Amino acid sequence: MSIVYSKPTVVEIQQMQDMVKADVENGNILLRTADEMATNIRSYIIAKQDDVLVGFCALHIYSPRLAEIRSLIVSTDHRKKGIGSSLVKECLVEGKKYNIKEVLALTYHKELFEHLDFKQIQKESIPEHKIWADCIRCKHFPICDEISLSIQL
């Protein structure tokens, strides 16, 4: 009953969208269309237990220096088992392989990221292209109550 971490295929996009549906509806996670997910499929890492999807997240690269952990989700019955932390760690390993220097996270669960040595940062330090590419699509924009964190790799 171990968790297996791997890259998804486009066949798993519908399962991934189904998993985040409630969090997209309540504004905790941004909607990613099937086409957008397909375009960025290589940035995702999935977690499966017995061939069942139990979580995923993405490492989205913005520049040669900067990336972001985004779309982190773990199924409700698999939370508090270290899967979210493991998904983030997998993304950080990947970021190091690409020689990324800094990884951002915007979250409502700062403790998870602080446990992994992320430090809280001012939202004003987030690059404008992040704001205009993603944040403007959020149902909470411009009143954002997510916490900004980053880690140096």
Side-chain angles (χ1 to χ4, degrees):
M1 300 258 197
S2 65
I3 305 295
V4 176
Y5 300 90
S6 64
K7 291 294 194 175
T9 67
V10 294
V11 173
E12 290 154 314
I13 290 173
Q14 187 60 56
Q15 292 174 340
M16 294 165 72
Q17 287 185 312
D18 291 345
M19 181 175 282
V20 296
K21 185 176 182 180
D23 283 282
V24 166
E25 288 173 358
N26 68 24
N28 287 342
I29 293 180
L30 283 178
L31 172 67
R32 306 285 179 200
T33 66
D35 287 348
E36 186 178 5
M37 291 179 81
T39 299
N40 294 292
I41 196 72
R42 291 174 294 231
S43 69
Y44 288 95
I45 296 173
I46 59 173
K48 285 187 166 184
Q49 183 176 41
D50 299 325
D51 273 339
V52 175
L53 182 69
V54 296
F56 68 88
C57 70
L59 179 72
H60 184 75
I61 298 174
Y62 286 106
S63 72
R65 182 181 187 293
L66 182 68
E68 177 190 14
I69 303 284
R70 65 186 199 182
S71 302
L72 175 60
I73 187 81
V74 176
S75 64
T76 48
D77 52 334
H78 286 83
R79 292 182 184 165
K80 305 291 184 196
K81 297 179 180 180
I83 297 169
S85 293
S86 293
L87 283 164
V88 172
K89 287 177 188 175
E90 292 282 332
C91 285
L92 295 177
V93 167
E94 187 172 348
K96 287 179 184 177
K97 287 179 185 175
Y98 286 110
N99 290 313
I100 298 296
K101 302 298 179 213
E102 181 180 9
V103 176
L104 297 173
L106 288 164
T107 185
Y108 294 106
H109 303 284
K110 73 175 190 162
E111 297 80 15
L112 172 106
F113 289 92
E114 288 175 335
H115 177 74
L116 297 170
D117 295 326
F118 280 71
K119 305 291 182 223
Q120 194 166 340
I121 60 171
Q122 296 296 319
K123 284 192 187 117
E124 295 77 25
S125 68
I126 296 173
E128 280 189 21
H129 58 276
K130 161 64 178 167
I131 304 300
W132 296 113
D134 287 331
C135 296
I136 199 165
R137 296 170 45 197
C138 179
K139 70 188 319 181
H140 302 295
F141 184 81
I143 310 298
C144 178
D145 56 351
E146 283 188 302
I147 297 160
S148 308
L149 301 108
S150 78
I151 189 170
Q152 302 298 314
L153 298 184

